[in-house]
Amino acid sequence: IVEWDHPEPGKVRTTGIAIKFSETPGGVFRHAPLLGEHTAELLREVAGYSDDEIHELHDSGGVA
């Protein structure tokens, strides 16, 4: 069990990495994405939308 800070609920306790490798240890490094946290980045980098198009989608309620 590991404890870390989440931006919304605060301190969170969750299971850590169950399998341990000696040369490539795992760990909990960041929280799961919040709703819409990476939407603009994905639309821009993966889908090729411009900033204006992303703003229009957001303003129309098409994306969070």
Side-chain angles (χ1 to χ4, degrees):
I1 304 295
V2 295
E3 186 175 282
W4 49 282
D5 290 317
H6 189 281
E8 287 191 353
K11 293 273 187 210
V12 175
R13 289 175 49 104
T14 187
T15 56
I17 305 301
I19 299 173
K20 306 291 183 193
F21 296 103
S22 59
E23 294 184 28
T24 55
V28 178
F29 302 106
R30 60 181 168 248
H31 63 85
L34 301 173
L35 179 63
E37 183 174 358
H38 303 293
T39 301
E41 180 181 351
L42 290 171
L43 287 172
R44 189 177 303 108
E45 295 178 12
V46 177
Y49 282 77
S50 70
D51 287 339
D52 289 337
E53 292 171 318
I54 294 169
H55 289 297
E56 286 178 29
L57 281 170
H58 187 278
D59 292 344
S60 71
V63 297

Short mmCIF file of all heavy atoms in Angstrom, two decimals:
data_model
loop_
_atom_site.label_atom_id
_atom_site.label_comp_id
_atom_site.label_asym_id
_atom_site.label_seq_id
_atom_site.Cartn_x
_atom_site.Cartn_y
_atom_site.Cartn_z
N ILE A 1 0.86 -1.18 0.00
CA ILE A 1 0.00 0.00 0.00
C ILE A 1 0.90 1.23 0.00
O ILE A 1 1.84 1.33 0.78
CB ILE A 1 -0.92 0.02 1.25
CG1 ILE A 1 -1.75 -1.26 1.34
CG2 ILE A 1 -1.77 1.27 1.28
CD1 ILE A 1 -2.75 -1.42 0.22
N VAL A 2 0.62 2.14 -0.91
CA VAL A 2 1.37 3.40 -0.98
C VAL A 2 0.40 4.56 -0.80
O VAL A 2 -0.78 4.45 -1.10
CB VAL A 2 2.14 3.54 -2.31
CG1 VAL A 2 3.21 2.49 -2.43
CG2 VAL A 2 1.21 3.48 -3.51
N GLU A 3 0.91 5.66 -0.29
CA GLU A 3 0.10 6.87 -0.11
C GLU A 3 0.74 8.00 -0.91
O GLU A 3 1.95 8.16 -0.92
CB GLU A 3 0.07 7.25 1.38
CG GLU A 3 -0.85 8.39 1.68
CD GLU A 3 -0.95 8.66 3.17
OE1 GLU A 3 -1.67 7.92 3.85
OE2 GLU A 3 -0.30 9.61 3.63
N TRP A 4 -0.10 8.77 -1.61
CA TRP A 4 0.40 9.87 -2.41
C TRP A 4 -0.67 10.95 -2.50
O TRP A 4 -1.81 10.73 -2.16
CB TRP A 4 0.86 9.39 -3.78
CG TRP A 4 -0.12 8.51 -4.49
CD1 TRP A 4 -0.35 7.19 -4.26
CD2 TRP A 4 -1.03 8.88 -5.51
NE1 TRP A 4 -1.33 6.72 -5.08
CE2 TRP A 4 -1.77 7.75 -5.87
CE3 TRP A 4 -1.29 10.06 -6.18
CZ2 TRP A 4 -2.74 7.76 -6.85
CZ3 TRP A 4 -2.26 10.07 -7.15
CH2 TRP A 4 -2.96 8.93 -7.48
N ASP A 5 -0.28 12.13 -2.98
CA ASP A 5 -1.19 13.26 -3.08
C ASP A 5 -1.89 13.27 -4.44
O ASP A 5 -1.25 13.22 -5.48
CB ASP A 5 -0.44 14.59 -2.90
CG ASP A 5 0.02 14.78 -1.48
OD1 ASP A 5 -0.77 14.50 -0.57
OD2 ASP A 5 1.17 15.20 -1.28
N HIS A 6 -3.21 13.35 -4.40
CA HIS A 6 -4.03 13.46 -5.61
C HIS A 6 -4.56 14.89 -5.64
O HIS A 6 -4.91 15.44 -4.59
CB HIS A 6 -5.17 12.45 -5.56
CG HIS A 6 -5.94 12.34 -6.83
ND1 HIS A 6 -6.89 13.26 -7.19
CD2 HIS A 6 -5.87 11.43 -7.82
CE1 HIS A 6 -7.39 12.91 -8.37
NE2 HIS A 6 -6.80 11.80 -8.77
N PRO A 7 -4.67 15.52 -6.82
CA PRO A 7 -5.09 16.92 -6.86
C PRO A 7 -6.52 17.19 -6.39
O PRO A 7 -6.82 18.30 -5.98
CB PRO A 7 -4.94 17.31 -8.34
CG PRO A 7 -4.82 16.04 -9.08
CD PRO A 7 -4.32 15.00 -8.13
N GLU A 8 -7.41 16.21 -6.42
CA GLU A 8 -8.79 16.46 -5.97
C GLU A 8 -9.07 15.94 -4.56
O GLU A 8 -9.40 16.73 -3.69
CB GLU A 8 -9.78 15.90 -6.98
CG GLU A 8 -9.82 16.75 -8.24
CD GLU A 8 -10.97 16.38 -9.16
OE1 GLU A 8 -11.66 15.39 -8.92
OE2 GLU A 8 -11.15 17.11 -10.15
N PRO A 9 -8.96 14.63 -4.29
CA PRO A 9 -9.31 14.18 -2.95
C PRO A 9 -8.22 14.35 -1.91
O PRO A 9 -8.45 14.15 -0.73
CB PRO A 9 -9.64 12.70 -3.15
CG PRO A 9 -8.84 12.29 -4.33
CD PRO A 9 -8.77 13.51 -5.20
N GLY A 10 -7.00 14.70 -2.32
CA GLY A 10 -5.90 14.86 -1.37
C GLY A 10 -5.13 13.56 -1.22
O GLY A 10 -4.83 12.90 -2.20
N LYS A 11 -4.83 13.17 0.03
CA LYS A 11 -4.07 11.94 0.28
C LYS A 11 -4.88 10.73 -0.16
O LYS A 11 -6.04 10.59 0.17
CB LYS A 11 -3.73 11.80 1.76
CG LYS A 11 -2.76 12.84 2.26
CD LYS A 11 -1.36 12.38 2.03
CE LYS A 11 -0.40 13.36 2.71
NZ LYS A 11 0.86 13.44 2.05
N VAL A 12 -4.22 9.86 -0.93
CA VAL A 12 -4.87 8.65 -1.43
C VAL A 12 -3.99 7.45 -1.08
O VAL A 12 -2.77 7.51 -1.23
CB VAL A 12 -5.04 8.72 -2.97
CG1 VAL A 12 -5.59 7.42 -3.52
CG2 VAL A 12 -5.94 9.87 -3.35
N ARG A 13 -4.63 6.38 -0.63
CA ARG A 13 -3.90 5.13 -0.37
C ARG A 13 -4.35 4.14 -1.42
O ARG A 13 -5.54 3.97 -1.66
CB ARG A 13 -4.21 4.60 1.02
CG ARG A 13 -3.59 5.44 2.12
CD ARG A 13 -4.00 4.96 3.50
NE ARG A 13 -3.83 3.53 3.68
CZ ARG A 13 -2.84 2.97 4.37
NH1 ARG A 13 -1.95 3.73 4.95
NH2 ARG A 13 -2.78 1.66 4.50
N THR A 14 -3.39 3.50 -2.07
CA THR A 14 -3.70 2.54 -3.11
C THR A 14 -2.65 1.44 -3.12
O THR A 14 -1.62 1.57 -2.45
CB THR A 14 -3.77 3.24 -4.49
OG1 THR A 14 -4.23 2.31 -5.47
CG2 THR A 14 -2.42 3.78 -4.91
N THR A 15 -2.92 0.38 -3.87
CA THR A 15 -1.93 -0.67 -3.98
C THR A 15 -0.75 -0.17 -4.78
O THR A 15 -0.91 0.59 -5.75
CB THR A 15 -2.51 -1.92 -4.66
OG1 THR A 15 -3.03 -1.55 -5.92
CG2 THR A 15 -3.60 -2.53 -3.81
N GLY A 16 0.42 -0.58 -4.41
CA GLY A 16 1.62 -0.23 -5.15
C GLY A 16 1.81 -1.21 -6.30
O GLY A 16 0.88 -1.89 -6.72
N ILE A 17 3.02 -1.30 -6.78
CA ILE A 17 3.36 -2.23 -7.85
C ILE A 17 3.62 -3.59 -7.21
O ILE A 17 4.52 -3.74 -6.39
CB ILE A 17 4.59 -1.73 -8.63
CG1 ILE A 17 4.36 -0.32 -9.15
CG2 ILE A 17 4.94 -2.69 -9.76
CD1 ILE A 17 3.18 -0.16 -10.06
N ALA A 18 2.85 -4.59 -7.61
CA ALA A 18 2.94 -5.91 -6.98
C ALA A 18 4.19 -6.68 -7.40
O ALA A 18 4.78 -7.40 -6.59
CB ALA A 18 1.70 -6.74 -7.32
N ILE A 19 4.60 -6.55 -8.64
CA ILE A 19 5.76 -7.29 -9.13
C ILE A 19 6.98 -6.39 -9.05
O ILE A 19 6.97 -5.25 -9.53
CB ILE A 19 5.53 -7.76 -10.58
CG1 ILE A 19 4.32 -8.68 -10.62
CG2 ILE A 19 6.76 -8.43 -11.13
CD1 ILE A 19 3.88 -9.08 -11.99
N LYS A 20 8.03 -6.88 -8.43
CA LYS A 20 9.26 -6.10 -8.25
C LYS A 20 10.37 -6.69 -9.11
O LYS A 20 10.68 -7.87 -9.02
CB LYS A 20 9.71 -6.11 -6.78
CG LYS A 20 8.66 -5.67 -5.79
CD LYS A 20 8.35 -4.21 -5.92
CE LYS A 20 7.35 -3.80 -4.86
NZ LYS A 20 6.77 -2.54 -5.05
N PHE A 21 10.96 -5.87 -9.98
CA PHE A 21 12.11 -6.27 -10.78
C PHE A 21 13.34 -5.56 -10.24
O PHE A 21 13.30 -4.36 -9.97
CB PHE A 21 11.90 -5.89 -12.25
CG PHE A 21 10.75 -6.61 -12.89
CD1 PHE A 21 9.54 -5.95 -13.11
CD2 PHE A 21 10.87 -7.92 -13.30
CE1 PHE A 21 8.48 -6.60 -13.72
CE2 PHE A 21 9.81 -8.58 -13.90
CZ PHE A 21 8.62 -7.93 -14.11
N SER A 22 14.45 -6.27 -10.11
CA SER A 22 15.65 -5.68 -9.51
C SER A 22 16.26 -4.57 -10.37
O SER A 22 16.76 -3.58 -9.86
CB SER A 22 16.69 -6.76 -9.24
OG SER A 22 17.04 -7.42 -10.44
N GLU A 23 16.20 -4.71 -11.70
CA GLU A 23 16.84 -3.72 -12.55
C GLU A 23 15.89 -2.65 -13.07
O GLU A 23 16.32 -1.62 -13.57
CB GLU A 23 17.53 -4.42 -13.72
CG GLU A 23 18.70 -5.28 -13.25
CD GLU A 23 19.46 -5.89 -14.39
OE1 GLU A 23 19.46 -5.30 -15.49
OE2 GLU A 23 20.06 -6.95 -14.18
N THR A 24 14.59 -2.89 -12.99
CA THR A 24 13.61 -1.91 -13.46
C THR A 24 12.47 -1.81 -12.46
O THR A 24 11.35 -2.25 -12.72
CB THR A 24 13.06 -2.29 -14.84
OG1 THR A 24 12.53 -3.61 -14.76
CG2 THR A 24 14.11 -2.23 -15.92
N PRO A 25 12.74 -1.24 -11.28
CA PRO A 25 11.69 -1.16 -10.27
C PRO A 25 10.55 -0.23 -10.71
O PRO A 25 10.79 0.79 -11.36
CB PRO A 25 12.40 -0.60 -9.05
CG PRO A 25 13.58 0.14 -9.62
CD PRO A 25 13.96 -0.59 -10.87
N GLY A 26 9.34 -0.62 -10.41
CA GLY A 26 8.18 0.21 -10.74
C GLY A 26 7.77 1.07 -9.56
O GLY A 26 8.33 0.94 -8.46
N GLY A 27 6.81 1.90 -9.75
CA GLY A 27 6.32 2.75 -8.68
C GLY A 27 5.14 3.57 -9.14
O GLY A 27 4.82 3.63 -10.33
N VAL A 28 4.47 4.20 -8.20
CA VAL A 28 3.36 5.10 -8.50
C VAL A 28 3.96 6.50 -8.60
O VAL A 28 4.48 7.03 -7.63
CB VAL A 28 2.28 5.03 -7.40
CG1 VAL A 28 1.16 6.01 -7.70
CG2 VAL A 28 1.74 3.61 -7.27
N PHE A 29 3.90 7.07 -9.81
CA PHE A 29 4.57 8.34 -10.05
C PHE A 29 3.60 9.51 -10.23
O PHE A 29 3.97 10.65 -10.10
CB PHE A 29 5.46 8.25 -11.29
CG PHE A 29 6.49 7.17 -11.18
CD1 PHE A 29 6.37 6.00 -11.88
CD2 PHE A 29 7.57 7.32 -10.33
CE1 PHE A 29 7.32 5.00 -11.78
CE2 PHE A 29 8.53 6.32 -10.20
CZ PHE A 29 8.39 5.16 -10.94
N ARG A 30 2.35 9.21 -10.59
CA ARG A 30 1.38 10.28 -10.80
C ARG A 30 -0.03 9.70 -10.69
O ARG A 30 -0.23 8.50 -10.75
CB ARG A 30 1.58 10.96 -12.14
CG ARG A 30 1.43 10.02 -13.32
CD ARG A 30 1.65 10.74 -14.63
NE ARG A 30 1.78 9.78 -15.69
CZ ARG A 30 2.88 9.55 -16.38
NH1 ARG A 30 3.96 10.23 -16.11
NH2 ARG A 30 2.91 8.65 -17.32
N HIS A 31 -1.00 10.58 -10.56
CA HIS A 31 -2.38 10.17 -10.44
C HIS A 31 -2.97 9.79 -11.79
O HIS A 31 -2.43 10.14 -12.84
CB HIS A 31 -3.21 11.29 -9.81
CG HIS A 31 -3.25 12.54 -10.64
ND1 HIS A 31 -4.16 12.71 -11.66
CD2 HIS A 31 -2.48 13.65 -10.63
CE1 HIS A 31 -3.96 13.88 -12.23
NE2 HIS A 31 -2.95 14.47 -11.62
N ALA A 32 -4.08 9.08 -11.77
CA ALA A 32 -4.82 8.81 -13.00
C ALA A 32 -5.35 10.14 -13.53
O ALA A 32 -5.64 11.05 -12.76
CB ALA A 32 -5.98 7.86 -12.71
N PRO A 33 -5.45 10.29 -14.83
CA PRO A 33 -5.90 11.56 -15.39
C PRO A 33 -7.30 11.94 -14.92
O PRO A 33 -8.18 11.09 -14.80
CB PRO A 33 -5.91 11.32 -16.90
CG PRO A 33 -5.15 10.08 -17.15
CD PRO A 33 -5.17 9.30 -15.87
N LEU A 34 -7.50 13.21 -14.65
CA LEU A 34 -8.81 13.73 -14.31
C LEU A 34 -9.62 13.88 -15.60
O LEU A 34 -9.05 13.91 -16.70
CB LEU A 34 -8.68 15.09 -13.63
CG LEU A 34 -7.85 15.12 -12.36
CD1 LEU A 34 -7.65 16.55 -11.89
CD2 LEU A 34 -8.48 14.28 -11.28
N LEU A 35 -10.92 13.97 -15.50
CA LEU A 35 -11.78 14.12 -16.67
C LEU A 35 -11.36 15.36 -17.46
O LEU A 35 -11.34 16.47 -16.93
CB LEU A 35 -13.24 14.23 -16.25
CG LEU A 35 -14.24 14.42 -17.39
CD1 LEU A 35 -14.25 13.21 -18.31
CD2 LEU A 35 -15.63 14.66 -16.84
N GLY A 36 -10.98 15.16 -18.70
CA GLY A 36 -10.61 16.27 -19.58
C GLY A 36 -9.22 16.83 -19.36
O GLY A 36 -8.84 17.79 -20.03
N GLU A 37 -8.44 16.24 -18.49
CA GLU A 37 -7.13 16.79 -18.15
C GLU A 37 -6.20 16.90 -19.36
O GLU A 37 -5.43 17.85 -19.48
CB GLU A 37 -6.46 15.96 -17.06
CG GLU A 37 -5.14 16.49 -16.61
CD GLU A 37 -4.55 15.74 -15.44
OE1 GLU A 37 -5.19 14.80 -14.93
OE2 GLU A 37 -3.45 16.09 -15.02
N HIS A 38 -6.24 15.93 -20.26
CA HIS A 38 -5.34 15.92 -21.41
C HIS A 38 -6.06 16.08 -22.74
O HIS A 38 -5.47 15.85 -23.80
CB HIS A 38 -4.54 14.62 -21.42
CG HIS A 38 -3.75 14.38 -20.17
ND1 HIS A 38 -2.69 15.18 -19.81
CD2 HIS A 38 -3.90 13.48 -19.18
CE1 HIS A 38 -2.20 14.75 -18.66
NE2 HIS A 38 -2.92 13.72 -18.26
N THR A 39 -7.32 16.49 -22.71
CA THR A 39 -8.11 16.58 -23.93
C THR A 39 -7.48 17.50 -24.96
O THR A 39 -7.31 17.12 -26.12
CB THR A 39 -9.55 17.04 -23.61
OG1 THR A 39 -10.13 16.10 -22.72
CG2 THR A 39 -10.39 17.13 -24.87
N ALA A 40 -7.15 18.72 -24.57
CA ALA A 40 -6.59 19.69 -25.52
C ALA A 40 -5.27 19.19 -26.10
O ALA A 40 -5.03 19.28 -27.31
CB ALA A 40 -6.40 21.04 -24.85
N GLU A 41 -4.44 18.63 -25.26
CA GLU A 41 -3.15 18.11 -25.71
C GLU A 41 -3.35 17.00 -26.75
O GLU A 41 -2.67 16.98 -27.79
CB GLU A 41 -2.38 17.57 -24.51
CG GLU A 41 -1.03 17.00 -24.81
CD GLU A 41 -0.35 16.48 -23.55
OE1 GLU A 41 -0.85 16.71 -22.43
OE2 GLU A 41 0.68 15.82 -23.71
N LEU A 42 -4.26 16.08 -26.49
CA LEU A 42 -4.52 14.99 -27.44
C LEU A 42 -5.13 15.50 -28.74
O LEU A 42 -4.74 15.06 -29.82
CB LEU A 42 -5.44 13.94 -26.81
CG LEU A 42 -4.81 13.10 -25.70
CD1 LEU A 42 -5.86 12.26 -25.00
CD2 LEU A 42 -3.73 12.22 -26.28
N LEU A 43 -6.08 16.41 -28.64
CA LEU A 43 -6.69 16.96 -29.85
C LEU A 43 -5.65 17.68 -30.70
O LEU A 43 -5.66 17.58 -31.93
CB LEU A 43 -7.84 17.91 -29.49
CG LEU A 43 -9.11 17.26 -28.97
CD1 LEU A 43 -10.07 18.33 -28.46
CD2 LEU A 43 -9.75 16.40 -30.04
N ARG A 44 -4.75 18.39 -30.05
CA ARG A 44 -3.72 19.14 -30.76
C ARG A 44 -2.68 18.20 -31.37
O ARG A 44 -2.39 18.27 -32.58
CB ARG A 44 -3.03 20.11 -29.79
CG ARG A 44 -2.10 21.10 -30.43
CD ARG A 44 -1.50 22.09 -29.41
NE ARG A 44 -2.54 22.82 -28.69
CZ ARG A 44 -2.86 22.61 -27.39
NH1 ARG A 44 -2.22 21.70 -26.68
NH2 ARG A 44 -3.80 23.31 -26.81
N GLU A 45 -2.11 17.31 -30.56
CA GLU A 45 -0.97 16.50 -31.00
C GLU A 45 -1.36 15.27 -31.80
O GLU A 45 -0.63 14.87 -32.70
CB GLU A 45 -0.13 16.10 -29.80
CG GLU A 45 0.52 17.29 -29.12
CD GLU A 45 1.32 16.92 -27.89
OE1 GLU A 45 1.57 15.72 -27.67
OE2 GLU A 45 1.70 17.85 -27.15
N VAL A 46 -2.48 14.64 -31.48
CA VAL A 46 -2.87 13.40 -32.15
C VAL A 46 -3.84 13.66 -33.30
O VAL A 46 -3.68 13.12 -34.39
CB VAL A 46 -3.47 12.40 -31.15
CG1 VAL A 46 -3.93 11.14 -31.84
CG2 VAL A 46 -2.46 12.07 -30.05
N ALA A 47 -4.84 14.50 -33.05
CA ALA A 47 -5.88 14.72 -34.05
C ALA A 47 -5.60 15.91 -34.96
O ALA A 47 -6.29 16.10 -35.95
CB ALA A 47 -7.23 14.89 -33.36
N GLY A 48 -4.62 16.75 -34.61
CA GLY A 48 -4.25 17.86 -35.47
C GLY A 48 -5.14 19.08 -35.39
O GLY A 48 -5.12 19.92 -36.29
N TYR A 49 -5.94 19.22 -34.33
CA TYR A 49 -6.81 20.39 -34.18
C TYR A 49 -5.99 21.62 -33.82
O TYR A 49 -4.98 21.54 -33.12
CB TYR A 49 -7.84 20.15 -33.07
CG TYR A 49 -9.00 19.28 -33.48
CD1 TYR A 49 -8.86 17.90 -33.59
CD2 TYR A 49 -10.25 19.83 -33.74
CE1 TYR A 49 -9.93 17.10 -33.95
CE2 TYR A 49 -11.32 19.04 -34.10
CZ TYR A 49 -11.15 17.68 -34.21
OH TYR A 49 -12.21 16.89 -34.56
N SER A 50 -6.43 22.78 -34.27
CA SER A 50 -5.79 24.04 -33.89
C SER A 50 -6.33 24.49 -32.54
O SER A 50 -7.36 23.99 -32.07
CB SER A 50 -6.08 25.12 -34.94
OG SER A 50 -7.46 25.50 -34.88
N ASP A 51 -5.67 25.46 -31.93
CA ASP A 51 -6.15 25.99 -30.65
C ASP A 51 -7.55 26.58 -30.78
O ASP A 51 -8.38 26.41 -29.90
CB ASP A 51 -5.18 27.03 -30.09
CG ASP A 51 -3.89 26.40 -29.54
OD1 ASP A 51 -3.91 25.20 -29.23
OD2 ASP A 51 -2.90 27.12 -29.43
N ASP A 52 -7.80 27.27 -31.89
CA ASP A 52 -9.13 27.87 -32.11
C ASP A 52 -10.20 26.78 -32.20
O ASP A 52 -11.29 26.93 -31.65
CB ASP A 52 -9.15 28.72 -33.38
CG ASP A 52 -8.35 30.01 -33.21
OD1 ASP A 52 -8.16 30.46 -32.07
OD2 ASP A 52 -7.93 30.57 -34.25
N GLU A 53 -9.90 25.70 -32.92
CA GLU A 53 -10.86 24.61 -33.04
C GLU A 53 -11.13 23.95 -31.69
O GLU A 53 -12.27 23.60 -31.36
CB GLU A 53 -10.35 23.56 -34.04
CG GLU A 53 -10.33 24.05 -35.47
CD GLU A 53 -9.62 23.10 -36.40
OE1 GLU A 53 -8.55 22.56 -36.03
OE2 GLU A 53 -10.14 22.89 -37.52
N ILE A 54 -10.09 23.80 -30.89
CA ILE A 54 -10.24 23.20 -29.56
C ILE A 54 -11.10 24.10 -28.68
O ILE A 54 -11.98 23.62 -27.97
CB ILE A 54 -8.87 22.94 -28.92
CG1 ILE A 54 -8.12 21.86 -29.73
CG2 ILE A 54 -9.01 22.52 -27.46
CD1 ILE A 54 -6.66 21.70 -29.36
N HIS A 55 -10.88 25.41 -28.74
CA HIS A 55 -11.71 26.35 -27.97
C HIS A 55 -13.18 26.29 -28.40
O HIS A 55 -14.07 26.33 -27.56
CB HIS A 55 -11.17 27.78 -28.10
CG HIS A 55 -9.89 28.01 -27.38
ND1 HIS A 55 -9.76 27.89 -26.01
CD2 HIS A 55 -8.66 28.33 -27.84
CE1 HIS A 55 -8.52 28.14 -25.66
NE2 HIS A 55 -7.82 28.40 -26.75
N GLU A 56 -13.39 26.18 -29.70
CA GLU A 56 -14.77 26.06 -30.20
C GLU A 56 -15.44 24.79 -29.68
O GLU A 56 -16.61 24.82 -29.25
CB GLU A 56 -14.80 26.06 -31.74
CG GLU A 56 -14.53 27.41 -32.35
CD GLU A 56 -14.51 27.35 -33.88
OE1 GLU A 56 -15.20 26.48 -34.46
OE2 GLU A 56 -13.83 28.19 -34.48
N LEU A 57 -14.71 23.68 -29.72
CA LEU A 57 -15.26 22.42 -29.19
C LEU A 57 -15.58 22.53 -27.71
O LEU A 57 -16.63 22.09 -27.23
CB LEU A 57 -14.27 21.27 -29.41
CG LEU A 57 -14.22 20.67 -30.80
CD1 LEU A 57 -13.02 19.72 -30.90
CD2 LEU A 57 -15.50 19.93 -31.10
N HIS A 58 -14.68 23.14 -26.96
CA HIS A 58 -14.89 23.31 -25.52
C HIS A 58 -16.08 24.20 -25.24
O HIS A 58 -16.94 23.89 -24.42
CB HIS A 58 -13.63 23.88 -24.88
CG HIS A 58 -13.70 23.92 -23.39
ND1 HIS A 58 -14.33 24.92 -22.70
CD2 HIS A 58 -13.22 23.07 -22.45
CE1 HIS A 58 -14.25 24.69 -21.41
NE2 HIS A 58 -13.59 23.57 -21.23
N ASP A 59 -16.15 25.34 -25.95
CA ASP A 59 -17.25 26.29 -25.73
C ASP A 59 -18.60 25.72 -26.11
O ASP A 59 -19.61 26.04 -25.50
CB ASP A 59 -17.00 27.59 -26.51
CG ASP A 59 -15.83 28.38 -25.97
OD1 ASP A 59 -15.39 28.10 -24.84
OD2 ASP A 59 -15.34 29.27 -26.69
N SER A 60 -18.62 24.82 -27.10
CA SER A 60 -19.89 24.21 -27.52
C SER A 60 -20.30 23.02 -26.65
O SER A 60 -21.39 22.49 -26.80
CB SER A 60 -19.79 23.75 -28.98
OG SER A 60 -18.94 22.61 -29.08
N GLY A 61 -19.41 22.62 -25.73
CA GLY A 61 -19.70 21.47 -24.86
C GLY A 61 -19.35 20.14 -25.51
O GLY A 61 -19.68 19.09 -24.97
N GLY A 62 -18.66 20.19 -26.64
CA GLY A 62 -18.28 18.96 -27.34
C GLY A 62 -17.20 18.17 -26.64
O GLY A 62 -17.10 16.97 -26.80
N VAL A 63 -16.38 18.85 -25.85
CA VAL A 63 -15.32 18.19 -25.06
C VAL A 63 -15.29 18.81 -23.68
O VAL A 63 -15.75 19.93 -23.47
CB VAL A 63 -13.92 18.30 -25.73
CG1 VAL A 63 -13.89 17.60 -27.07
CG2 VAL A 63 -13.50 19.75 -25.87
N ALA A 64 -14.71 18.06 -22.74
CA ALA A 64 -14.60 18.56 -21.37
C ALA A 64 -13.24 19.19 -21.15
O ALA A 64 -12.28 18.85 -21.79
CB ALA A 64 -14.79 17.43 -20.38
#
